[in-house]
Amino acid sequence: MKRAMVLATVALLGLAMAQGRTVNLLWSGAVTGPTSDVGGPYGAGIEDYCRYANEQKLIPNVTLNCSVRDDQYQNPNTQRIFEEALDRAKPAIYLGYSTGAMLQLKPLINEVKMPTIPASAHIGLIEPPNNQYMFLPVSSYSEQVVALMEYINRTSKNAKIALVVNPSPFGRAVVDHARRAAQRLGQTIVDVREVGGGNLDNTALLRALDAAGVEFIIHQNVAGPVANILKDAKRLGLDKKIKQMGAVYTGGADLIRLAGDAAEGYLWASSYYTLDENAPGINLQKQLAAKYNRGADILNSTNYTAGMLAAAIAVEAMKRAAQRFNGRIDNETVYQALIGMNGPNAFRPGFAVSTKAGIEIDFTRSEQTGAEGLRVLEARGGKFVPVTEPFTSTLFRQVRNP
């Protein structure tokens, strides 16, 4: 996949050079290495939306030079790629990836005033200090987890919950907010465990959580480790006793592909439409996957949707910058376009659900989360179906900065 992406990037570069004026758009992320099950489809979504934007001339008289780089989930690689881009390509906007790398780059991003849309939804990225140029495309991991806890509380009072999180800043992002939410809801966080990839036998973990009286496991991870835990829970007969659920990167078609029927009943917090829904962004996703010969694993992945949404926001911001600033597209004008993307100027690409106010993507100078609507979905019959209407978490706003 890495070689294919490099070749595709070279092809995009050639196309850009052939058409005159270019504007650079950079993404770096884990095409290989840890979490590449997310990064691969995410990068493919960015790549394909960029091709589409150039073919459709979404920004008049401009060709996008979209560079997709593999950082192998290594923070030093991400730092080097970003600094090289600042020196050579001078992108108008940066599409980032991992929580750790984005937290590391946050001061530099603020210093060089580079609008940045990360794949990570760590709330700390848009918290002070150095947060002015960070924009989350969808609700934060913390809001997703708190929303799941609110969902539990609808039917189960005083619930006993375990958090199983990735052993990284990405996984740990939700722990403090979950503890605060549990206190408000009368729930108990019985245990917090860190589980990464390669967790082929989770018997000891599940036995210990069962012995501690855990009724619900909330995951903040990628789909692979979660799938292994679900399969072991089913093998041990604990799948009916302990309900499992998780934030956005744990679920979707990737989880069902990896866990099979052990995924049945899994609850998933997500802002994105599913592939079964008739939404403009999803229809475009199907069209582009077919046009660019993407396999079923890419087409069906919510991470492909997520990459397209990030690219769509970036392209729309550049388009609006050109319209508003007499053709000028750079980091300063793109930032102004992003913080003006609200009210009647909100963006509606059709990849994410809208809030009750009918808003899909909006940003202001102080509100740096794009899609604030999310739903809880449940795995039923081999696919995820929504079990709530789109909502935003009121409790999360209470525990975000107590």
Side-chain angles (χ1 to χ4, degrees):
M1 177 177 288
K2 179 181 177 182
R3 176 178 172 76
M5 281 197 165
V6 170
L7 291 173
T9 302
V10 171
L12 285 170
L13 274 168
L15 177 62
M17 296 301 291
Q19 294 186 357
R21 184 190 177 202
T22 63
V23 174
N24 294 310
L25 174 63
L26 168 68
W27 176 76
S28 64
V31 179
T32 61
T35 78
S36 58
D37 53 340
V38 172
Y42 194 96
I46 290 171
E47 201 171 49
D48 289 353
Y49 193 89
C50 282
R51 291 180 184 177
Y52 162 76
N54 277 331
E55 290 169 358
Q56 297 298 313
K57 303 185 187 306
L58 295 186
I59 309 176
N61 304 315
V62 168
T63 298
L64 295 169
N65 175 16
C66 299
S67 181
V68 170
R69 300 285 303 275
D70 181 15
D71 66 14
Q72 302 173 310
Y73 205 61
Q74 298 294 321
N75 294 354
N77 291 347
T78 312
Q79 179 101 23
R80 174 178 52 76
I81 290 168
F82 183 66
E83 290 177 348
E84 285 178 357
L86 291 177
D87 289 340
R88 300 173 186 175
K90 295 181 172 40
I93 186 168
Y94 172 48
L95 303 182
Y97 184 71
S98 75
T99 295
M102 291 300 95
L103 289 172
Q104 178 175 304
L105 283 176
K106 195 178 165 191
L108 177 58
I109 285 169
N110 207 63
E111 179 184 343
V112 300
K113 301 179 179 179
M114 178 61 64
T116 297
I117 300 174
S120 169
H122 190 301
I123 191 67
L125 295 175
I126 58 170
E127 299 281 20
N130 301 316
N131 61 320
Q132 184 176 351
Y133 293 91
M134 287 281 191
F135 297 90
L136 305 186
V138 298
S139 58
S140 68
Y141 303 136
S142 294
E143 179 165 1
Q144 295 160 22
V145 166
V146 172
L148 287 170
M149 296 171 73
E150 291 179 293
Y151 183 78
I152 291 171
N153 203 53
R154 294 183 187 184
T155 55
S156 300
K157 303 300 181 185
N158 305 312
K160 293 184 176 181
I161 298 169
L163 301 178
V164 178
V165 305
N166 190 273
S168 66
F170 154 65
R172 300 174 191 124
V174 304
V175 175
D176 287 346
H177 293 111
R179 289 190 189 281
R180 294 174 201 158
Q183 191 172 28
R184 297 284 188 102
L185 293 169
Q187 299 170 338
T188 303
I189 302 294
V190 176
D191 203 348
V192 179
R193 296 293 187 100
E194 295 192 354
V195 177
N199 60 327
L200 299 181
D201 187 348
N202 301 281
T203 302
L205 168 73
L206 289 163
R207 292 289 192 204
L209 297 182
D210 181 40
V214 168
E215 302 167 281
F216 301 92
I217 296 175
I218 301 181
H219 295 274
Q220 164 59 0
N221 217 317
V222 292
V226 177
N228 290 336
I229 293 172
L230 289 171
K231 288 187 285 189
D232 284 344
K234 186 176 180 65
R235 173 175 57 80
L236 296 168
L238 295 174
D239 53 323
K240 304 300 182 187
K241 191 174 181 182
I242 302 176
K243 186 78 170 176
Q244 301 197 47
M245 60 196 71
V248 62
Y249 287 128
T250 69
D254 292 329
L255 182 69
I256 290 174
R257 174 173 54 83
L258 293 168
D261 61 3
E264 283 293 297
Y266 186 83
L267 296 173
W268 177 43
S270 172
S271 296
Y272 298 102
Y273 285 114
T274 71
L275 206 63
D276 297 311
E277 294 178 284
N278 182 20
I282 297 300
N283 294 337
L284 178 63
Q285 174 177 333
K286 294 175 182 175
Q287 174 191 330
L288 296 186
K291 183 173 185 178
Y292 302 133
N293 299 312
R294 297 295 187 184
D297 288 352
I298 294 288
L299 166 64
N300 294 331
S301 175
T302 301
N303 305 316
Y304 187 52
T305 314
M308 285 201 177
L309 174 59
I313 294 170
V315 170
E316 182 67 15
M318 288 190 280
K319 175 184 173 182
R320 294 184 185 192
Q323 293 170 340
R324 182 175 165 189
F325 296 98
N326 195 29
R328 182 180 155 208
I329 303 174
D330 56 28
N331 59 316
E332 294 178 7
T333 60
V334 168
Y335 172 72
Q336 293 299 325
L338 277 170
I339 63 174
M341 194 177 279
N342 54 67
N345 298 316
F347 184 39
R348 297 176 177 83
F351 291 108
V353 297
S354 298
T355 64
K356 289 182 179 178
I359 297 170
E360 182 180 347
I361 305 292
D362 70 341
F363 297 105
T364 68
R365 192 181 300 274
S366 59
E367 178 49 70
Q368 293 158 273
T369 300
E372 296 182 86
L374 61 81
R375 297 180 297 185
V376 177
L377 303 96
E378 184 169 13
R380 294 178 180 173
K383 62 181 181 181
F384 276 95
V385 297
V387 294
T388 71
E389 295 295 319
F391 67 102
T392 57
S393 171
T394 302
L395 179 58
F396 171 69
R397 281 147 185 79
Q398 296 170 359
V399 302
R400 178 178 176 180
N401 294 306

